[in-house]
Amino acid sequence: MKPINVGIIGLGVVGGGTAQVLRENADEISRRLGRDVRVTMVSRRDIAKAQEIIGTDDTITITTDAAEIVNHPDIDIVVELIGGTTIAKDMVLQAIANGKHVVTANKKLLAEHGNEIFAAAAAKNVMVMFEAAVAGGIPIIKSLREGLAANKIEWIAGIINGTSNFILSEMRSKGSDFADVLKEAQAKGYAEADPTFDIEGHDAGHKITIMSSVAFGVPLDFSKCYLEGISTLEGKDIQYAEELGYRVKLLGITRRREDGVELRVHPTLIPQERLIANVDGVMNAVLVKADMVGVTMHYGPGAGSLPTASSVVADILDICRLIDSEAEQRVPYLAFQPHHVQTLPAISIDDIRSSYYLRLTTTDEPGVLAAVTSMLAQHSISVEALIQKATAHEEAEIVILTHSALERDMKEAIARIEDLNRVTKPVVMLRMEPFNG
Amino acid sequence: MKPINVGIIGLGVVGGGTAQVLRENADEISRRLGRDVRVTMVSRRDIAKAQEIIGTDDTITITTDAAEIVNHPDIDIVVELIGGTTIAKDMVLQAIANGKHVVTANKKLLAEHGNEIFAAAAAKNVMVMFEAAVAGGIPIIKSLREGLAANKIEWIAGIINGTSNFILSEMRSKGSDFADVLKEAQAKGYAEADPTFDIEGHDAGHKITIMSSVAFGVPLDFSKCYLEGISTLEGKDIQYAEELGYRVKLLGITRRREDGVELRVHPTLIPQERLIANVDGVMNAVLVKADMVGVTMHYGPGAGSLPTASSVVADILDICRLIDSEAEQRVPYLAFQPHHVQTLPAISIDDIRSSYYLRLTTTDEPGVLAAVTSMLAQHSISVEALIQKATAHEEAEIVILTHSALERDMKEAIARIEDLNRVTKPVVMLRMEPFNG
């Protein structure tokens, strides 16, 4: 069979990894596929940098113009690694219009414009694959779309942002503050100079949006995702959580309920004895609860040149096998047949149920605890665990772990508690997920 | 598109689960697949028991004769759940000869006769799928064959026998002895009346043999698998391991080396801080080390009616999509093109390198430790950690953890140590794997 020609647009860290994987494992890939796959064109604005990555391989054409690749008649598969939603979107749509198959690692593009892209791809009968967009080297999209396809998936919860997980792991193990660990992460290259996208939950939000869609067969809609990051987390909350037997992780969570779909990213307490509570550093892990299989966990490196390239190339191999297939022979873009992808109501964060961690700063005098717990009781919220400690300045801290409650009730109770004149600062509230099956 | 007709031969726990999944999730499956899948025939020797499982569904024909199903012109896919290697093998080969696709959960059949079965299937251009044969509901075969296909896989290590893992978990947490926990496991239905197959490593051996083949593209050959079970493990070794910072797990391990393939099952010490060391009870987990992605871990239920059925049905869906495809559009049986599946030398257990845990029973007098450690040094084996304890009866126990050594050297050193007249019992030897990347 004739070789498959791949063009990479946006040749950077992952693109270089993709070229490396296809070159170094060419024999192993041919053994698997029964045909050769080769990178024949790459693009990057800065041609010197592209040359640096590609080296002396003169079988690869380097161009500054991505359009040259998506319009080239010899290219079978376009790998989009430009990032963002402007040029990347234009190029992906142009590649599709030209009848080319697409592999992308661009979570933002899919989470925000995926429906449009998949509709265009369906019209041209081409594949658009995106394993590398979620959790780097972990084959979680394949597991959700295929491996667990016998199931109704109930919920997904994932550590899907390595930067945040590194920061939280360091805050816990070293007792450091957020700002110090962020600087360390930046020095190590685990965090960007502007870390907003990672630490405020946008990146995790894009990824959980994509997983939600392939798990439940709902259109991609990042605007429905509730986002709460880790930048305001204090070291003391991580330590209190630890005392109570919990770890704090930034989780992307999505859940199918009878009345709609939850889609949210926020710091979350998890019992220490759960495997996912012990996923540290830049590693990723995704828990999936499905009706027939129960809970599975999928763990591995969530970023990096070669792990991400591993997913890009796996997608390329899937496309190669089915390059001459009909649509019904392929797994649908969002795992469900396009006409069965249906919008479900987005559930507001106020309508979720969760357990809650609260930290109150109060004056150190009798009666505060009674007032607080009676306020909780008035909102039907019961207490599972409680720590009270005197601090400096004649203040006390009360840390409360509640049983499951409706978030709306919780927030109302907190508003009342903050009205107490013995409560001197805003209440810190974090959510807790037990993950007990 | 017309519905796909499935026949289940050997309707038992997993078969009942398969029928249940296809029935209860019929809508979700049609949403995914764009066509219906239905069980139309089932077989079991005891027809009353089959009737009990199927209930009042009169769209399903029940027969005592599996051959009736594999020869029936309306059956598209045969699900083989008879088990064993006699009738099951005949029926699978007959189904293939009749041009039917096959899904099987029969690890023994594949590990021992897989090459013959796949050759027959290739000749008739039918698919034979076996996700359920390894690690129950975890989609590990799909991850190895497809999700990680960009990689050269280097090694796999898995907790792939739930019975053994339950026993080891209980021995550790309760400090109980093997025999007592086995009885408990039997009472709970986690262990068979005759538990040999599980506790002596045969079951794990079949599974690691299959994973080895799809990871490295080598023919299936269970006879090359080294087997060492858990029935002779003493509670005290689990406690000593704990003291040293390790957990004991029954692992299936396979590794590709320049000079061949390691394939082995044995109890193994793992550092407590590794995720896989914390996989307890009947759960399974498979660690995969691959050259590009690094380490991934795949965790979930390794047995049970519905988890196993989840994998059976995922295979059915894969077959449905590609039922009219050509061979080159499919993932090859053992992940590599049949003419690229090549035998590699089987590496003897004596030629592996590992760290070792040794427990010596000695007389309680000066000089023993010096004699023992000098014996190790003579065989170039260095000591990483050591515990010495006096026991009753004027004896002492010495527990040693070594650095990496060749097993042949280790065994020679042990033979010399056992020759010392102050060493009063055979030396207990266990292997340790650090799994540090």
Side-chain angles (χ1 to χ4, degrees), chain B residues 331-405:
Chain B
V331 182
Y333 305 99
L334 292 178
F336 295 81
Q337 298 293 323
H339 61 283
H340 283 303
V341 171
Q342 51 204 189
T343 304
L344 296 175
I347 291 173
S348 152
I349 191 71
D350 291 332
D351 291 320
I352 72 158
R353 293 191 70 84
S354 174
S355 298
Y356 294 88
Y357 163 101
L358 308 176
R359 176 167 55 82
L360 288 67
T361 310
T362 69
T363 55
D364 194 9
E365 51 188 313
V368 180
L369 195 57
V372 167
T373 50
S374 100
M375 211 67 96
L376 289 172
Q378 282 170 34
H379 289 82
S380 310
I381 296 164
S382 60
V383 172
E384 183 180 321
L386 195 144
I387 302 173
Q388 183 167 21
K389 280 192 185 167
T391 62
H393 318 299
E394 298 186 340
E395 281 186 339
E397 278 183 337
I398 301 174
V399 171
I400 296 171
L401 200 64
T402 77
H403 286 288
S404 181

Side-chain angles (χ1 to χ4, degrees), chain A residues 122-164:
Chain A
K124 294 293 289 185
N125 196 30
V126 296
M127 289 172 269
V128 175
M129 304 281 283
F130 48 94
E131 183 65 78
V134 179
I138 307 172
I140 183 64
I141 296 297
K142 182 172 282 282
S143 292
L144 292 171
R145 296 204 318 164
E146 306 172 40
L148 303 174
N151 295 269
K152 262 205 167 95
I153 293 171
E154 297 175 359
W155 54 258
I156 297 172
I159 296 173
I160 46 181
N161 181 268
T163 306
S164 302

Side-chain angles (χ1 to χ4, degrees), chain B residues 360-362 367-368 370-373 375 413-425:
Chain B
L360 288 67
T361 310
T362 69
V368 180
V372 167
T373 50
M375 211 67 96
I414 289 172
R416 297 295 175 81
I417 288 168
E418 287 176 341
D419 283 344
L420 295 170
N421 56 18
R422 286 175 291 190
V423 173
T424 56
K425 289 185 188 166

Side-chain angles (χ1 to χ4, degrees), chain A residues 299-357:
Chain A
Y299 165 91
S305 168
L306 294 175
T308 310
S310 167
S311 287
V312 168
V313 173
D315 279 351
I316 290 173
L317 301 196
D318 274 359
I319 290 176
C320 288
R321 264 191 296 271
L322 292 177
I323 205 149
D324 296 318
S325 60
E326 300 304 319
E328 61 265 26
Q329 294 180 304
R330 302 171 182 168
V331 182
Y333 305 100
L334 293 178
F336 295 81
Q337 298 293 323
H339 61 283
H340 283 302
V341 172
Q342 51 204 189
T343 304
L344 295 176
I347 291 173
S348 152
I349 190 71
D350 291 333
D351 291 320
I352 73 158
R353 290 192 72 83
S354 174
S355 298
Y356 294 88
Y357 163 101

Side-chain angles (χ1 to χ4, degrees), chain B residues 235-250:
Chain B
K236 65 165 74 171
D237 291 309
I238 291 175
Q239 303 308 327
Y240 278 130
E242 194 78 6
E243 255 180 75
L244 291 162
Y246 295 82
R247 297 274 158 81
V248 181
K249 297 289 179 187
L250 182 69

Side-chain angles (χ1 to χ4, degrees), chain A residues 1 20-21 24-25 28-34 137 139 142-153 214-217 256 275 278-279 283 291-293 295-301 306-307 310 313-314 317-318 321-322 324-325 328-332 335-337 340-342, chain B residues 1 20-21 24-25 28-34 137 139 142-153 214-217 256 275 278-279 283 291-293 295-301 306-307 310 313-314 317-318 321-322 324-325 328-332 335-337 340-342:
Chain A
M1 283 188 291
Q20 182 181 341
V21 170
E24 289 184 10
N25 282 350
E28 190 85 344
I29 287 168
S30 295
R31 274 183 76 200
R32 292 180 183 273
L33 203 59
K142 182 172 282 282
S143 292
L144 292 171
R145 296 204 318 164
E146 306 172 40
L148 303 174
N151 295 269
K152 262 205 167 95
I153 293 171
V214 298
F216 308 139
R256 171 157 53 179
L275 277 189
N278 294 283
V279 170
M283 298 304 278
D291 65 345
M292 297 301 172
V293 71
V295 171
T296 55
M297 192 177 90
H298 310 256
Y299 165 91
L306 294 175
S310 167
V313 173
L317 301 196
D318 274 359
R321 264 191 296 271
L322 292 177
D324 296 318
S325 60
E328 61 265 26
Q329 294 180 304
R330 302 171 182 168
V331 182
F336 295 81
Q337 298 293 323
H340 283 302
V341 172
Q342 51 204 189
Chain B
M1 283 187 289
Q20 183 182 340
V21 169
E24 289 183 10
N25 282 349
E28 190 86 343
I29 287 167
S30 296
R31 273 184 76 201
R32 290 180 183 275
L33 203 59
K142 181 171 282 282
S143 292
L144 291 172
R145 294 204 319 164
E146 304 173 41
L148 303 175
N151 296 268
K152 260 204 168 96
I153 294 171
V214 297
F216 309 138
R256 171 159 51 179
L275 278 189
N278 294 283
V279 171
M283 299 302 280
D291 63 347
M292 297 301 172
V293 70
V295 171
T296 56
M297 191 177 92
H298 310 255
Y299 164 90
L306 294 176
S310 166
V313 174
L317 301 197
D318 274 0
R321 263 190 297 271
L322 292 177
D324 296 318
S325 61
E328 60 265 26
Q329 295 181 303
R330 303 171 182 168
V331 182
F336 295 81
Q337 298 293 323
H340 283 303
V341 171
Q342 51 204 189

